[in-house]
Amino acid sequence: MTATGSSPGGPRSPERRKREALERLARDNDVWIATADATGEPCLVPLAFWWDGESVWLATRDTNPTGRNLCASGRARLAFGHPRDVVLVHGTARMLPRGEVPAGVGDAFAAKDGWDPRQDHPSYVFFQVTPDVIQAWGTVPEMTGRTLMRAGKWLV
């Protein structure tokens, strides 16, 4: 793949985009998460994450803007990669107090990131973000066909 997110022969196939998007979810360490409060005030921050093959797991304090927004709305947008090769996830978030997080999730999150929120400040909670929509594209030639998942179902 070139730096533009498309191959020299043109845009990547949807199948290749899906494969590369799943590789990014398994490999990357951090994600940009966008949320908004009840007045529409946006909040954009980077967070560590773990992908379990179906959901993105995040940990943050329930007292900070991102945590409060996720608790209130249950909605998040996640951006992985860089602007010329992005994977965008629109998802539904559910909060789990750290005492209710399955051990396998907490252990995998800690192993991947090297930090265990379960051992940090008591205000840390986990959020399970289930994708509703997943899109992947590089530059303008890949805008067509960028939606790989809609309504939680893979299109490819």
Side-chain angles (χ1 to χ4, degrees):
M1 182 171 62
T2 66
T4 61
S6 60
S7 66
R12 295 171 290 171
S13 69
E15 294 78 14
R16 180 175 170 191
R17 288 190 220 186
K18 178 182 177 182
R19 183 184 79 248
E20 291 177 358
L22 290 171
E23 289 169 0
R24 179 173 296 287
L25 291 169
R27 176 188 69 235
D28 286 5
N29 290 321
D30 301 304
V31 62
W32 285 100
I33 177 169
T35 61
D37 68 15
T39 69
E41 182 67 27
C43 179
L44 178 67
V45 297
L47 293 178
F49 77 94
W50 177 65
W51 169 251
D52 70 4
E54 296 181 8
S55 297
V56 176
W57 291 85
L58 310 164
T60 191
R61 293 177 184 228
D62 60 2
T63 56
N64 68 24
T66 298
R68 288 192 314 264
N69 294 347
L70 287 171
C71 286
S73 74
R75 302 292 303 153
R77 289 199 180 180
L78 309 174
F80 302 85
H82 54 82
R84 292 190 175 257
D85 187 16
V86 67
V87 175
L88 188 63
V89 174
H90 305 245
T92 304
R94 94 179 160 111
M95 189 272 290
L96 286 93
R98 62 192 194 179
E100 295 178 21
V101 173
V105 169
D107 294 347
F109 186 99
K112 180 179 181 201
D113 191 60
W115 166 67
D116 191 343
R118 298 170 298 177
Q119 305 302 317
D120 209 314
H121 193 274
S123 64
Y124 277 98
V125 295
F126 283 78
F127 290 92
Q128 179 185 23
V129 179
T130 303
D132 298 319
V133 174
I134 297 179
Q135 298 177 316
W137 71 93
T139 56
V140 172
E142 288 198 352
M143 294 299 285
T144 300
R146 69 184 172 266
T147 302
L148 305 175
M149 176 186 281
R150 182 175 292 124
K153 304 289 184 214
W154 287 105
L155 304 176
V156 217

